[in-house]
Amino acid sequence: MVELKTDASIDAMYEAGQVVGRALSAVRKAADVGVSLLELDEVAREVLREAGATSPFLGYRPSFAPTPFPAVICASVNDAIVHGIPTSYRLRDGDLVSIDCGAHLGGWAGDSAISFVVGEPRPADLRLIETAERALEAGIEAAVVGNRLGDIAHAIGTVCRAAGYGVPDGFGGHGIGRHMHEDPSVPNEGRPGRGLPLGHGLVLAIEPMLTGGGKDGYHAAPDGWTLRTDDGSRAAHVEHTVAVTAAGPRVLTAR
């Protein structure tokens, strides 16, 4: 069931979203060559603790997962698209890193993701990340009253495909509110003018995922969580929690 949030609820979700934004900013600042993914997870944990927030990631176990998720961030490196489990792996020069983070505060959830390069970047990686960010912006711009869900999906997919990148099928954004994952699903490709009408109070996590090799294939790693590109190409993942309002899209996780 799709729930439309009140203006007061959206304001409360903004507070949760700001905690997520601070956590991602802190992780990005701490990320450097030689820093482990577990150390980045601890950085995010500290931000959540200071805010009095909890993590919707920690202990989360959807139907596909063999075990509960053990961290407060997803840390996906290079050919990992999403859902990377933080480990003792230490970042290397040129690594492309995607960090996904969420927070529960005051009964409401926020969810956001960033991609960046540690050390000396490859031009191809910078182009991949920049395209992901443009796709996210296009999706946000389409999140207006009177449009439909397919308009968001079409806007994202158009940017990704025009740049020659792959779009993993079956993974995309979602509704968000009291819980991190709510209806509806928000695909990263679709037909304009189709799907759920967008009304004031609908809150969505919009999250493009791009694969650099141009192919859509992916597979689950042995940990049962991490999704990796089939062709070994690098991936980028960006995300914001966005409220559809009569005044236009409101980004609740803006940093």
Side-chain angles (χ1 to χ4, degrees):
M1 183 179 73
V2 175
E3 176 193 6
L4 299 181
K5 278 68 177 180
T6 65
D7 291 346
S9 296
I10 292 172
D11 287 341
M13 291 189 69
Y14 175 82
E15 297 304 320
Q18 291 308 289
V19 175
V20 178
R22 291 198 298 273
L24 288 174
S25 294
V27 169
R28 176 67 184 92
K29 183 177 181 180
D32 203 352
V33 174
V35 175
S36 77
L37 300 181
L38 283 172
E39 288 170 333
L40 296 183
D41 184 67
E42 183 54 40
V43 168
R45 286 176 189 251
E46 181 60 27
V47 173
L48 296 182
R49 281 193 292 265
E50 290 179 354
T54 59
S55 170
F57 289 18
L58 186 62
Y60 180 60
R61 189 178 184 181
S63 59
F64 67 80
T67 58
F69 197 76
V72 305
I73 61 170
C74 295
S76 306
V77 181
N78 296 332
D79 67 326
I81 306 168
V82 287
H83 302 164
I85 295 176
T87 65
S88 59
Y89 174 84
R90 295 191 176 277
L91 295 172
R92 301 171 183 173
D93 187 46
D95 276 347
L96 195 167
V97 184
S98 296
I99 302 292
D100 194 355
C101 185
H104 266 134
L105 183 70
W108 297 98
D111 190 10
S112 186
I114 56 174
S115 288
F116 55 87
V117 177
V118 173
E120 186 67 27
R122 304 179 185 179
D125 289 344
L126 294 180
R127 179 174 175 267
L128 178 65
I129 294 169
E130 187 271 335
T131 304
E133 291 172 345
R134 283 196 295 111
L136 175 59
E137 185 59 35
I140 293 170
E141 289 178 355
V144 297
V145 174
N147 271 359
R148 289 179 176 266
L149 205 58
D151 294 307
I152 296 176
H154 179 71
I156 293 170
T158 296
V159 172
C160 299
R161 294 301 189 188
Y165 295 126
V167 179
D169 184 44
F171 284 87
H174 49 88
I176 183 170
R178 292 285 184 184
H179 304 282
M180 178 173 61
H181 288 147
E182 298 183 353
D183 291 333
S185 295
V186 185
N188 286 328
E189 281 193 295
R191 298 178 64 181
R194 300 294 182 93
L196 179 76
L198 306 182
H200 179 89
L202 181 64
V203 183
L204 304 170
I206 300 174
E207 50 180 321
M209 304 169 194
L210 287 67
T211 61
K215 298 181 180 179
D216 301 347
Y218 61 88
H219 61 275
D223 63 24
W225 275 99
T226 309
L227 299 183
R228 297 189 178 277
T229 59
D230 281 348
D231 61 6
S233 65
R234 295 189 171 204
H237 170 216
V238 294
E239 176 185 19
H240 270 310
T241 297
V242 181
V244 178
T245 79
R250 181 182 179 187
V251 179
L252 306 182
T253 47
R255 293 178 288 278

